[in-house]
Amino acid sequence: MSDCHSCAGCAVAEAPPALHKNARSHVVAIIGPPNSGKSTLFNRLTGLRQKVANFPGVTVEQRVGKARMQQHHDVVLVDLPGVYSLNPRSEDEQVTRDVLAGTMPGVPKPDALLLILDCTNLGRHLVLAAPILSLKLPTLVILNMADDLKSRGGHVDTAELASELGSPVALISASKGQGVEKVFQFMEGTSAGTSSLAPPRVELPILQDIPRCRQWANDVGTGAAYRAPAPPIWTRRLDSVFLHPIIGPLIFLLVVAGVFQTIFKGAKPLMDGLQSLIQTSGQWIEHVLPASIFRSLLVDGVWSGVGAVIVFLPQILLLFLFIGILEDSGYLARAALIADRTMAKFGLQGKSFIPLISAYACAVPAIMATRTIENKRDRLATILIAPFMTCSARLPVYTLIIAAFIADRPILGHFFGAQAAALLGLYVLGFVAAVMTAKLLKSSILKSERVPFVLEMPPYRWPTLRSLSLRLIDRSKVFLRRAGTVILLVIVVLWVLENLPVKNGRPPEIADSFAGMIGHAVEPVIKPLGFNWKIGIGLVSSIAAREVIVGTLGTIYGKEGTSESVGLRRALQSDLTPGGAVALLVFFAFAMQCMSTIAVVRRETGGWRWPALQFSYMTFLAYLCALIANEVVRSGVFT
Amino acid sequence: MLQTSVNSGTDRTLAQLHEGEAGVLDRLDLPDDIARRLMELGFLPGHIIVPARSAPGGEPRVYRVDGSEVALRRETASHLILRAPKT
């Protein structure tokens, strides 16, 4: 490697690479190891001008954004998944390879690369530079966390590193925005086609051999006068509290209780507010428009569908605010560490804990929160069991049936009666089903190829307002656009089922509607569970959301459709056997009667395969257990 | 290398190190793809590894390796064999 300078010129001459393609925009990909600050940089460069989708056919999320240039057209930025190498072992690595090779459908081959590395850990992160630089694309090597490096007494000579690697090097702090202008300058240069490729002074190592790559990275670091920073003192101090054998778990429980309380109770007034806003505006629309089937479709179909979608927003926003703070501060890794031992018993891991706890409030934000689990199988297992957790939408159904059918005999004095025991039993039932399903999944279709549990412990950092708010906006957009459209559609379809066919220009009685016909049609199937056709209609309507069945039953029986309605309780008592009532509770504990969850699972797993499997499995389990419950109660074991 | 007693014949593993006691990794007794994954995180033969705090109950445990901290379960750590100290 002594004749490098002589061929520097020819490299440039050889490479008027196809940079002047006016036909399409200039594409720059961001690549880096996990925890290198990749997403922070991406957010910094694009701000709100980004969108999220999945790479075709895989669960890997694709983030594409636009960075505004001063002199040129916008640059299209593609954020690639975090990887340590390009050895295609995981989906993430395969996607990264495909994008870089230009073989990923729908993603143009990048014209230039931003390689982002954590410079407080340069030796280890530089390993990725070898395979990336050997692609011979114009690459800016970005050393992130410059502020940390400096404050902890580390050092690196960027000019020296640049000449060693043959690529420009920028020392930046993505979270503080320091040095980001150098990234823009680089992209201005590559869009103009003026960037030149100098061959690296150091020889790039063979890709597959990790020890040699690591040695190479060390040598490169030494050549660039790299001095590793001192250990993060504050992180060690905080860990002595957060991972303390006694105080640690207490803080963990407090945090978990805080998350739970916030999404369960804190979101309630906001959700109620939104609901009444939708209701009031619906009434206003009703008032303004002349009475017609069209008005009913607009108000009871579309408008209430819109309401059904946005009512989730407070929970999603609050949960992601929490998760954002936990993840950005570094505490989430500690929480996962503490929870891991318990979760491992169910074949899961520490990072599944917060999503599963959130699922007690609502499975929708919980499933979106599984994104923090890097291991694909663990993430999928968590998504598949989350809807078994007793969410708040089951409560109105439970309350109604329990109040109607279970006499509140005291069991443990006044505080704990038979009704409370029944409710607790239903919570336990859901939890047991989740645990058993997790075990079943991990020993069958999600049998892991013995992927070890590996959890990196990032240093503690202050979360930034910018990153938190971008995350909230991003999650809301993803939910509204991807899940919202499906939910809206189903609500409208259900309206059609309940309000057609039109009789004498008026909507039919619910028993004569399409929904009623379906209720009658499914009666033979649900009869063994102790359900009649009215419950059948309720089950059909509850696909929109579980609690909808209460209102539907109110309509069918001509009573007030709330869970406290005495009239509705009486009607059910005379129309439903005790066996049927218990079976209904069991059915609701297990069945995936929630189209929002189905829509979110589709969105998060990138297709209909998993939600279809999950829906079938849960419905089958619900049917089977409801059947058993009905038979057991009917046979009089408990009387 | 104070107080590092070595049972002759049986290799010492990462799981057997006490908190704060440094060990040098000799080899990874794991299937190739898993070993690679750990090597990418710094668990490379010849590297010094220091166990740090563990979760309540002793599992999983955080290890300081190659400038960062990575938590492993005991089942994984017990497959990382340490180099016998020269005595």
Side-chain angles (χ1 to χ4, degrees), chain A residues 84-85 87 89 121 124 208 210 214 236 240 249 337 340-341 348 450 452 454-455 457, chain B residues 31 33-34 36-37 40-41 44 53 55-57 59-60 64 66 68-71 73 76:
Chain A
Y84 290 107
S85 71
N87 304 325
R89 272 170 298 131
N121 207 342
R124 190 152 72 82
Q208 301 296 320
I210 300 173
R214 184 63 188 81
R236 301 245 164 125
S240 68
L337 185 74
D340 185 65
R341 197 148 176 253
L348 293 170
R450 291 184 298 136
V454 174
L455 185 65
M457 311 297 274
Chain B
D33 54 333
I34 296 176
R36 274 174 170 286
R37 171 99 179 88
E40 283 168 3
L41 290 163
L44 279 161
R53 293 189 168 270
E59 255 242 291
R64 296 201 177 116
D66 206 3
S68 56
E69 302 198 338
V70 181
R73 286 182 187 161
T76 312

mmCIF file of all heavy atoms in Angstrom, chain A residues 84-85 87 89 121 124 208 210 214 236 240 249 337 340-341 348 450 452 454-455 457, chain B residues 31 33-34 36-37 40-41 44 53 55-57 59-60 64 66 68-71 73 76:
data_model
loop_
_atom_site.group_PDB
_atom_site.id
_atom_site.type_symbol
_atom_site.label_atom_id
_atom_site.label_comp_id
_atom_site.label_asym_id
_atom_site.label_seq_id
_atom_site.Cartn_x
_atom_site.Cartn_y
_atom_site.Cartn_z
ATOM 1 N N TYR A 84 -24.052 -4.647 12.820
ATOM 2 C CA TYR A 84 -22.627 -4.644 13.155
ATOM 3 C C TYR A 84 -21.779 -5.096 11.978
ATOM 4 O O TYR A 84 -20.596 -4.844 11.919
ATOM 5 C CB TYR A 84 -22.357 -5.574 14.334
ATOM 6 C CG TYR A 84 -22.895 -5.057 15.631
ATOM 7 C CD1 TYR A 84 -24.020 -5.618 16.216
ATOM 8 C CD2 TYR A 84 -22.267 -3.986 16.276
ATOM 9 C CE1 TYR A 84 -24.515 -5.138 17.410
ATOM 10 C CE2 TYR A 84 -22.756 -3.504 17.471
ATOM 11 C CZ TYR A 84 -23.880 -4.081 18.035
ATOM 12 O OH TYR A 84 -24.372 -3.601 19.209
ATOM 13 N N SER A 85 -22.414 -5.855 11.089
ATOM 14 C CA SER A 85 -21.661 -6.360 9.949
ATOM 15 C C SER A 85 -22.633 -6.570 8.800
ATOM 16 O O SER A 85 -23.833 -6.368 8.947
ATOM 17 C CB SER A 85 -20.998 -7.685 10.299
ATOM 18 O OG SER A 85 -21.993 -8.692 10.411
ATOM 19 N N ASN A 87 -22.647 -9.573 7.228
ATOM 20 C CA ASN A 87 -22.869 -11.011 7.087
ATOM 21 C C ASN A 87 -24.360 -11.257 7.217
ATOM 22 O O ASN A 87 -24.930 -10.962 8.256
ATOM 23 C CB ASN A 87 -22.159 -11.802 8.185
ATOM 24 C CG ASN A 87 -20.686 -11.487 8.217
ATOM 25 O OD1 ASN A 87 -20.081 -11.263 7.177
ATOM 26 N ND2 ASN A 87 -20.121 -11.443 9.411
ATOM 27 N N ARG A 89 -27.051 -12.702 8.396
ATOM 28 C CA ARG A 89 -27.597 -13.715 9.287
ATOM 29 C C ARG A 89 -28.995 -13.345 9.740
ATOM 30 O O ARG A 89 -29.848 -14.183 9.905
ATOM 31 C CB ARG A 89 -26.686 -13.915 10.490
ATOM 32 C CG ARG A 89 -25.608 -14.964 10.212
ATOM 33 C CD ARG A 89 -24.594 -14.985 11.295
ATOM 34 N NE ARG A 89 -23.931 -13.705 11.357
ATOM 35 C CZ ARG A 89 -23.760 -13.014 12.463
ATOM 36 N NH1 ARG A 89 -24.214 -13.469 13.591
ATOM 37 N NH2 ARG A 89 -23.141 -11.855 12.424
ATOM 38 N N ASN A 121 -16.709 4.548 21.295
ATOM 39 C CA ASN A 121 -16.477 3.113 21.215
ATOM 40 C C ASN A 121 -15.940 2.796 19.831
ATOM 41 O O ASN A 121 -16.395 1.870 19.167
ATOM 42 C CB ASN A 121 -17.817 2.408 21.432
ATOM 43 C CG ASN A 121 -17.638 1.038 21.992
ATOM 44 O OD1 ASN A 121 -16.542 0.482 21.906
ATOM 45 N ND2 ASN A 121 -18.688 0.482 22.548
ATOM 46 N N ARG A 124 -14.616 -0.813 18.332
ATOM 47 C CA ARG A 124 -15.620 -1.813 17.988
ATOM 48 C C ARG A 124 -16.473 -1.386 16.792
ATOM 49 O O ARG A 124 -16.803 -2.195 15.927
ATOM 50 C CB ARG A 124 -16.510 -2.054 19.204
ATOM 51 C CG ARG A 124 -17.432 -3.208 19.067
ATOM 52 C CD ARG A 124 -17.754 -3.795 20.420
ATOM 53 N NE ARG A 124 -18.635 -2.928 21.190
ATOM 54 C CZ ARG A 124 -19.950 -2.916 21.024
ATOM 55 N NH1 ARG A 124 -20.515 -3.671 20.119
ATOM 56 N NH2 ARG A 124 -20.696 -2.126 21.756
ATOM 57 N N GLN A 208 -15.126 -11.662 6.427
ATOM 58 C CA GLN A 208 -15.749 -12.642 7.309
ATOM 59 C C GLN A 208 -15.041 -12.823 8.654
ATOM 60 O O GLN A 208 -15.632 -13.280 9.605
ATOM 61 C CB GLN A 208 -15.819 -14.005 6.594
ATOM 62 C CG GLN A 208 -16.613 -13.966 5.303
ATOM 63 C CD GLN A 208 -18.072 -13.626 5.522
ATOM 64 O OE1 GLN A 208 -18.681 -14.089 6.475
ATOM 65 N NE2 GLN A 208 -18.632 -12.788 4.662
ATOM 66 N N ILE A 210 -13.901 -11.914 11.946
ATOM 67 C CA ILE A 210 -14.145 -10.837 12.903
ATOM 68 C C ILE A 210 -12.888 -10.470 13.716
ATOM 69 O O ILE A 210 -12.579 -9.297 13.851
ATOM 70 C CB ILE A 210 -15.332 -11.180 13.833
ATOM 71 C CG1 ILE A 210 -16.587 -11.377 12.993
ATOM 72 C CG2 ILE A 210 -15.579 -10.051 14.832
ATOM 73 C CD1 ILE A 210 -17.761 -11.883 13.773
ATOM 74 N N ARG A 214 -11.413 -6.754 13.749
ATOM 75 C CA ARG A 214 -11.295 -5.994 14.988
ATOM 76 C C ARG A 214 -9.861 -5.494 15.163
ATOM 77 O O ARG A 214 -9.634 -4.375 15.605
ATOM 78 C CB ARG A 214 -11.716 -6.886 16.165
ATOM 79 C CG ARG A 214 -11.728 -6.211 17.514
ATOM 80 C CD ARG A 214 -12.736 -5.080 17.540
ATOM 81 N NE ARG A 214 -12.619 -4.319 18.779
ATOM 82 C CZ ARG A 214 -11.711 -3.390 18.992
ATOM 83 N NH1 ARG A 214 -10.836 -3.082 18.052
ATOM 84 N NH2 ARG A 214 -11.671 -2.747 20.142
ATOM 85 N N ARG A 236 -22.120 4.725 35.731
ATOM 86 C CA ARG A 236 -21.790 3.754 36.785
ATOM 87 C C ARG A 236 -22.488 4.115 38.085
ATOM 88 O O ARG A 236 -22.988 3.253 38.799
ATOM 89 C CB ARG A 236 -20.270 3.727 36.995
ATOM 90 C CG ARG A 236 -19.524 3.353 35.724
ATOM 91 C CD ARG A 236 -18.804 2.047 35.846
ATOM 92 N NE ARG A 236 -18.431 1.565 34.533
ATOM 93 C CZ ARG A 236 -17.184 1.241 34.180
ATOM 94 N NH1 ARG A 236 -16.200 1.341 35.065
ATOM 95 N NH2 ARG A 236 -16.934 0.802 32.977
ATOM 96 N N SER A 240 -25.441 1.965 40.027
ATOM 97 C CA SER A 240 -25.346 1.444 41.395
ATOM 98 C C SER A 240 -26.649 1.682 42.148
ATOM 99 O O SER A 240 -26.918 1.040 43.155
ATOM 100 C CB SER A 240 -24.155 2.067 42.122
ATOM 101 O OG SER A 240 -24.399 3.437 42.328
ATOM 102 N N PRO A 249 -35.058 -3.034 42.012
ATOM 103 C CA PRO A 249 -36.391 -3.568 41.728
ATOM 104 C C PRO A 249 -37.518 -2.654 42.208
ATOM 105 O O PRO A 249 -38.576 -2.581 41.562
ATOM 106 C CB PRO A 249 -36.420 -4.889 42.502
ATOM 107 C CG PRO A 249 -34.993 -5.273 42.618
ATOM 108 C CD PRO A 249 -34.209 -4.007 42.716
ATOM 109 N N LEU A 337 -33.276 -5.681 31.831
ATOM 110 C CA LEU A 337 -32.354 -6.548 32.570
ATOM 111 C C LEU A 337 -33.035 -7.095 33.820
ATOM 112 O O LEU A 337 -32.958 -8.284 34.124
ATOM 113 C CB LEU A 337 -31.098 -5.755 32.948
ATOM 114 C CG LEU A 337 -29.987 -6.543 33.620
ATOM 115 C CD1 LEU A 337 -29.279 -7.414 32.598
ATOM 116 C CD2 LEU A 337 -28.981 -5.626 34.298
ATOM 117 N N ASP A 340 -35.825 -9.598 32.978
ATOM 118 C CA ASP A 340 -35.483 -10.723 32.107
ATOM 119 C C ASP A 340 -35.674 -12.087 32.759
ATOM 120 O O ASP A 340 -36.162 -13.016 32.131
ATOM 121 C CB ASP A 340 -34.050 -10.595 31.604
ATOM 122 C CG ASP A 340 -33.713 -11.690 30.610
ATOM 123 O OD1 ASP A 340 -34.323 -11.695 29.534
ATOM 124 O OD2 ASP A 340 -32.886 -12.557 30.925
ATOM 125 N N ARG A 341 -35.276 -12.198 34.026
ATOM 126 C CA ARG A 341 -35.293 -13.512 34.663
ATOM 127 C C ARG A 341 -36.722 -14.068 34.727
ATOM 128 O O ARG A 341 -36.964 -15.230 34.439
ATOM 129 C CB ARG A 341 -34.712 -13.385 36.072
ATOM 130 C CG ARG A 341 -34.321 -14.700 36.644
ATOM 131 C CD ARG A 341 -33.133 -14.582 37.568
ATOM 132 N NE ARG A 341 -32.854 -15.868 38.172
ATOM 133 C CZ ARG A 341 -33.121 -16.146 39.445
ATOM 134 N NH1 ARG A 341 -33.648 -15.230 40.228
ATOM 135 N NH2 ARG A 341 -32.852 -17.330 39.927
ATOM 136 N N LEU A 348 -39.791 -15.818 27.074
ATOM 137 C CA LEU A 348 -39.649 -14.482 26.499
ATOM 138 C C LEU A 348 -38.400 -13.827 27.076
ATOM 139 O O LEU A 348 -37.572 -14.486 27.686
ATOM 140 C CB LEU A 348 -40.899 -13.648 26.804
ATOM 141 C CG LEU A 348 -42.156 -14.144 26.119
ATOM 142 C CD1 LEU A 348 -43.372 -13.429 26.660
ATOM 143 C CD2 LEU A 348 -42.056 -13.910 24.622
ATOM 144 N N ARG A 450 -31.640 -20.891 18.953
ATOM 145 C CA ARG A 450 -30.816 -20.655 20.124
ATOM 146 C C ARG A 450 -30.098 -19.302 20.046
ATOM 147 O O ARG A 450 -28.897 -19.202 20.269
ATOM 148 C CB ARG A 450 -29.816 -21.796 20.317
ATOM 149 C CG ARG A 450 -30.547 -23.081 20.733
ATOM 150 C CD ARG A 450 -29.585 -24.186 21.017
ATOM 151 N NE ARG A 450 -28.814 -24.524 19.833
ATOM 152 C CZ ARG A 450 -27.504 -24.738 19.851
ATOM 153 N NH1 ARG A 450 -26.821 -24.637 20.958
ATOM 154 N NH2 ARG A 450 -26.882 -25.059 18.732
ATOM 155 N N PRO A 452 -28.876 -16.200 21.502
ATOM 156 C CA PRO A 452 -28.682 -15.868 22.911
ATOM 157 C C PRO A 452 -29.281 -14.509 23.239
ATOM 158 O O PRO A 452 -29.423 -13.653 22.365
ATOM 159 C CB PRO A 452 -27.164 -15.851 23.057
ATOM 160 C CG PRO A 452 -26.663 -15.489 21.707
ATOM 161 C CD PRO A 452 -27.653 -16.029 20.715
ATOM 162 N N VAL A 454 -28.911 -11.069 24.353
ATOM 163 C CA VAL A 454 -27.818 -10.114 24.421
ATOM 164 C C VAL A 454 -28.425 -8.743 24.590
ATOM 165 O O VAL A 454 -29.321 -8.375 23.844
ATOM 166 C CB VAL A 454 -26.983 -10.150 23.129
ATOM 167 C CG1 VAL A 454 -25.937 -9.067 23.153
ATOM 168 C CG2 VAL A 454 -26.346 -11.498 22.938
ATOM 169 N N LEU A 455 -27.993 -8.028 25.591
ATOM 170 C CA LEU A 455 -28.583 -6.723 25.849
ATOM 171 C C LEU A 455 -27.467 -5.709 26.059
ATOM 172 O O LEU A 455 -26.703 -5.807 27.005
ATOM 173 C CB LEU A 455 -29.463 -6.813 27.101
ATOM 174 C CG LEU A 455 -30.266 -5.605 27.495
ATOM 175 C CD1 LEU A 455 -31.310 -5.288 26.450
ATOM 176 C CD2 LEU A 455 -30.937 -5.843 28.830
ATOM 177 N N MET A 457 -25.986 -2.265 27.203
ATOM 178 C CA MET A 457 -26.370 -1.269 28.193
ATOM 179 C C MET A 457 -25.789 0.080 27.777
ATOM 180 O O MET A 457 -24.619 0.341 28.029
ATOM 181 C CB MET A 457 -25.831 -1.649 29.572
ATOM 182 C CG MET A 457 -26.127 -3.076 29.958
ATOM 183 S SD MET A 457 -27.871 -3.417 30.108
ATOM 184 C CE MET A 457 -28.137 -2.922 31.732
ATOM 185 N N PRO B 31 -22.119 -22.409 18.729
ATOM 186 C CA PRO B 31 -22.222 -22.521 17.270
ATOM 187 C C PRO B 31 -21.714 -21.256 16.590
ATOM 188 O O PRO B 31 -21.799 -20.158 17.151
ATOM 189 C CB PRO B 31 -23.724 -22.693 17.028
ATOM 190 C CG PRO B 31 -24.278 -23.181 18.314
ATOM 191 C CD PRO B 31 -23.396 -22.663 19.392
ATOM 192 N N ASP B 33 -22.600 -19.125 14.258
ATOM 193 C CA ASP B 33 -23.337 -17.871 14.048
ATOM 194 C C ASP B 33 -23.564 -17.124 15.362
ATOM 195 O O ASP B 33 -23.550 -15.895 15.399
ATOM 196 C CB ASP B 33 -24.661 -18.129 13.315
ATOM 197 C CG ASP B 33 -25.513 -19.167 14.009
ATOM 198 O OD1 ASP B 33 -24.931 -20.025 14.702
ATOM 199 O OD2 ASP B 33 -26.743 -19.115 13.872
ATOM 200 N N ILE B 34 -23.748 -17.881 16.453
ATOM 201 C CA ILE B 34 -23.938 -17.221 17.745
ATOM 202 C C ILE B 34 -22.615 -16.625 18.220
ATOM 203 O O ILE B 34 -22.558 -15.501 18.723
ATOM 204 C CB ILE B 34 -24.487 -18.233 18.781
ATOM 205 C CG1 ILE B 34 -25.871 -18.704 18.337
ATOM 206 C CG2 ILE B 34 -24.547 -17.615 20.161
ATOM 207 C CD1 ILE B 34 -26.451 -19.771 19.220
ATOM 208 N N ARG B 36 -20.255 -15.542 16.388
ATOM 209 C CA ARG B 36 -20.022 -14.333 15.593
ATOM 210 C C ARG B 36 -20.758 -13.131 16.175
ATOM 211 O O ARG B 36 -20.215 -12.049 16.286
ATOM 212 C CB ARG B 36 -20.547 -14.532 14.179
ATOM 213 C CG ARG B 36 -19.565 -15.179 13.294
ATOM 214 C CD ARG B 36 -20.223 -15.467 11.950
ATOM 215 N NE ARG B 36 -19.210 -15.876 11.039
ATOM 216 C CZ ARG B 36 -18.340 -15.036 10.499
ATOM 217 N NH1 ARG B 36 -18.419 -13.751 10.725
ATOM 218 N NH2 ARG B 36 -17.398 -15.476 9.718
ATOM 219 N N ARG B 37 -22.014 -13.374 16.515
ATOM 220 C CA ARG B 37 -22.837 -12.294 17.065
ATOM 221 C C ARG B 37 -22.175 -11.732 18.322
ATOM 222 O O ARG B 37 -22.104 -10.540 18.515
ATOM 223 C CB ARG B 37 -24.227 -12.863 17.382
ATOM 224 C CG ARG B 37 -25.140 -11.968 18.152
ATOM 225 C CD ARG B 37 -26.108 -11.266 17.225
ATOM 226 N NE ARG B 37 -27.014 -10.407 17.967
ATOM 227 C CZ ARG B 37 -26.738 -9.135 18.263
ATOM 228 N NH1 ARG B 37 -25.602 -8.596 17.887
ATOM 229 N NH2 ARG B 37 -27.608 -8.400 18.925
ATOM 230 N N GLU B 40 -19.006 -9.787 17.519
ATOM 231 C CA GLU B 40 -19.289 -8.435 17.028
ATOM 232 C C GLU B 40 -19.486 -7.464 18.180
ATOM 233 O O GLU B 40 -19.257 -6.270 18.051
ATOM 234 C CB GLU B 40 -20.547 -8.444 16.151
ATOM 235 C CG GLU B 40 -20.301 -8.997 14.771
ATOM 236 C CD GLU B 40 -21.584 -9.269 14.005
ATOM 237 O OE1 GLU B 40 -22.679 -8.967 14.523
ATOM 238 O OE2 GLU B 40 -21.485 -9.780 12.893
ATOM 239 N N LEU B 41 -19.947 -7.995 19.321
ATOM 240 C CA LEU B 41 -20.164 -7.135 20.487
ATOM 241 C C LEU B 41 -18.895 -7.002 21.321
ATOM 242 O O LEU B 41 -18.917 -6.377 22.380
ATOM 243 C CB LEU B 41 -21.297 -7.704 21.351
ATOM 244 C CG LEU B 41 -22.678 -7.593 20.717
ATOM 245 C CD1 LEU B 41 -23.664 -8.506 21.394
ATOM 246 C CD2 LEU B 41 -23.167 -6.142 20.798
ATOM 247 N N LEU B 44 -14.253 -11.228 22.054
ATOM 248 C CA LEU B 44 -13.277 -11.810 21.140
ATOM 249 C C LEU B 44 -12.173 -12.474 21.937
ATOM 250 O O LEU B 44 -11.783 -11.981 23.001
ATOM 251 C CB LEU B 44 -12.671 -10.694 20.281
ATOM 252 C CG LEU B 44 -13.482 -10.239 19.087
ATOM 253 C CD1 LEU B 44 -13.015 -8.878 18.619
ATOM 254 C CD2 LEU B 44 -13.371 -11.245 17.963
ATOM 255 N N ARG B 53 -22.410 -5.362 37.459
ATOM 256 C CA ARG B 53 -23.613 -5.685 38.235
ATOM 257 C C ARG B 53 -24.484 -6.711 37.534
ATOM 258 O O ARG B 53 -24.425 -6.866 36.333
ATOM 259 C CB ARG B 53 -24.425 -4.409 38.439
ATOM 260 C CG ARG B 53 -23.701 -3.450 39.315
ATOM 261 C CD ARG B 53 -24.571 -2.298 39.698
ATOM 262 N NE ARG B 53 -23.895 -1.576 40.765
ATOM 263 C CZ ARG B 53 -24.069 -1.860 42.041
ATOM 264 N NH1 ARG B 53 -24.913 -2.802 42.415
ATOM 265 N NH2 ARG B 53 -23.412 -1.195 42.961
ATOM 266 N N ALA B 55 -28.639 -8.413 37.442
ATOM 267 C CA ALA B 55 -30.031 -8.171 37.817
ATOM 268 C C ALA B 55 -30.300 -8.878 39.140
ATOM 269 O O ALA B 55 -29.560 -9.785 39.513
ATOM 270 C CB ALA B 55 -30.946 -8.707 36.729
ATOM 271 N N PRO B 56 -31.355 -8.490 39.867
ATOM 272 C CA PRO B 56 -31.678 -9.172 41.116
ATOM 273 C C PRO B 56 -31.827 -10.671 40.859
ATOM 274 O O PRO B 56 -32.451 -11.063 39.886
ATOM 275 C CB PRO B 56 -33.025 -8.561 41.519
ATOM 276 C CG PRO B 56 -33.149 -7.312 40.755
ATOM 277 C CD PRO B 56 -32.296 -7.412 39.558
ATOM 278 N N GLY B 57 -31.249 -11.476 41.732
ATOM 279 C CA GLY B 57 -31.290 -12.910 41.497
ATOM 280 C C GLY B 57 -30.056 -13.396 40.749
ATOM 281 O O GLY B 57 -29.914 -14.575 40.489
ATOM 282 N N GLU B 59 -29.089 -12.890 37.672
ATOM 283 C CA GLU B 59 -29.212 -13.188 36.252
ATOM 284 C C GLU B 59 -30.101 -12.181 35.576
ATOM 285 O O GLU B 59 -31.125 -11.823 36.154
ATOM 286 C CB GLU B 59 -29.852 -14.562 36.094
ATOM 287 C CG GLU B 59 -28.897 -15.632 35.685
ATOM 288 C CD GLU B 59 -29.267 -16.224 34.350
ATOM 289 O OE1 GLU B 59 -30.280 -16.901 34.241
ATOM 290 O OE2 GLU B 59 -28.500 -15.982 33.419
ATOM 291 N N PRO B 60 -29.806 -11.755 34.375
ATOM 292 C CA PRO B 60 -28.536 -11.828 33.654
ATOM 293 C C PRO B 60 -27.497 -10.895 34.282
ATOM 294 O O PRO B 60 -27.849 -10.094 35.147
ATOM 295 C CB PRO B 60 -28.901 -11.340 32.251
ATOM 296 C CG PRO B 60 -30.374 -11.164 32.218
ATOM 297 C CD PRO B 60 -30.825 -11.044 33.618
ATOM 298 N N ARG B 64 -18.391 -5.857 31.247
ATOM 299 C CA ARG B 64 -17.663 -4.770 30.582
ATOM 300 C C ARG B 64 -16.707 -5.402 29.610
ATOM 301 O O ARG B 64 -15.841 -6.173 30.003
ATOM 302 C CB ARG B 64 -16.882 -3.955 31.606
ATOM 303 C CG ARG B 64 -17.806 -3.284 32.564
ATOM 304 C CD ARG B 64 -17.180 -2.106 33.266
ATOM 305 N NE ARG B 64 -18.256 -1.561 34.081
ATOM 306 C CZ ARG B 64 -18.236 -1.524 35.409
ATOM 307 N NH1 ARG B 64 -17.161 -1.922 36.061
ATOM 308 N NH2 ARG B 64 -19.268 -1.060 36.077
ATOM 309 N N ASP B 66 -14.630 -4.537 25.786
ATOM 310 C CA ASP B 66 -14.305 -3.733 24.620
ATOM 311 C C ASP B 66 -14.957 -2.349 24.649
ATOM 312 O O ASP B 66 -15.534 -1.898 23.675
ATOM 313 C CB ASP B 66 -14.724 -4.471 23.344
ATOM 314 C CG ASP B 66 -13.891 -4.031 22.148
ATOM 315 O OD1 ASP B 66 -12.981 -3.210 22.337
ATOM 316 O OD2 ASP B 66 -14.163 -4.498 21.029
ATOM 317 N N SER B 68 -17.610 -1.273 26.158
ATOM 318 C CA SER B 68 -19.039 -1.090 26.395
ATOM 319 C C SER B 68 -19.537 -2.128 27.392
ATOM 320 O O SER B 68 -18.770 -2.961 27.871
ATOM 321 C CB SER B 68 -19.818 -1.175 25.085
ATOM 322 O OG SER B 68 -19.559 -2.397 24.449
ATOM 323 N N GLU B 69 -20.805 -2.059 27.715
ATOM 324 C CA GLU B 69 -21.388 -2.982 28.673
ATOM 325 C C GLU B 69 -22.481 -3.796 27.998
ATOM 326 O O GLU B 69 -23.373 -3.238 27.369
ATOM 327 C CB GLU B 69 -21.967 -2.197 29.861
ATOM 328 C CG GLU B 69 -20.926 -1.355 30.554
ATOM 329 C CD GLU B 69 -21.347 -0.919 31.954
ATOM 330 O OE1 GLU B 69 -22.562 -0.906 32.220
ATOM 331 O OE2 GLU B 69 -20.456 -0.614 32.755
ATOM 332 N N VAL B 70 -22.391 -5.094 28.129
ATOM 333 C CA VAL B 70 -23.337 -5.996 27.482
ATOM 334 C C VAL B 70 -23.808 -7.012 28.509
ATOM 335 O O VAL B 70 -22.985 -7.583 29.231
ATOM 336 C CB VAL B 70 -22.679 -6.733 26.290
ATOM 337 C CG1 VAL B 70 -23.680 -7.650 25.611
ATOM 338 C CG2 VAL B 70 -22.100 -5.749 25.294
ATOM 339 N N ALA B 71 -25.121 -7.227 28.590
ATOM 340 C CA ALA B 71 -25.654 -8.213 29.531
ATOM 341 C C ALA B 71 -25.863 -9.548 28.836
ATOM 342 O O ALA B 71 -26.323 -9.603 27.695
ATOM 343 C CB ALA B 71 -26.974 -7.715 30.113
ATOM 344 N N ARG B 73 -27.076 -13.834 29.679
ATOM 345 C CA ARG B 73 -27.598 -14.796 30.640
ATOM 346 C C ARG B 73 -26.481 -15.786 30.998
ATOM 347 O O ARG B 73 -25.532 -15.960 30.242
ATOM 348 C CB ARG B 73 -28.781 -15.559 30.042
ATOM 349 C CG ARG B 73 -30.032 -14.715 29.959
ATOM 350 C CD ARG B 73 -31.186 -15.529 29.403
ATOM 351 N NE ARG B 73 -32.357 -14.687 29.173
ATOM 352 C CZ ARG B 73 -33.364 -15.031 28.371
ATOM 353 N NH1 ARG B 73 -33.323 -16.164 27.704
ATOM 354 N NH2 ARG B 73 -34.396 -14.234 28.226
ATOM 355 N N THR B 76 -25.470 -18.402 28.450
ATOM 356 C CA THR B 76 -24.553 -17.982 27.391
ATOM 357 C C THR B 76 -23.136 -17.806 27.951
ATOM 358 O O THR B 76 -22.169 -18.273 27.360
ATOM 359 C CB THR B 76 -25.036 -16.658 26.763
ATOM 360 O OG1 THR B 76 -26.423 -16.771 26.472
ATOM 361 C CG2 THR B 76 -24.283 -16.337 25.499
#
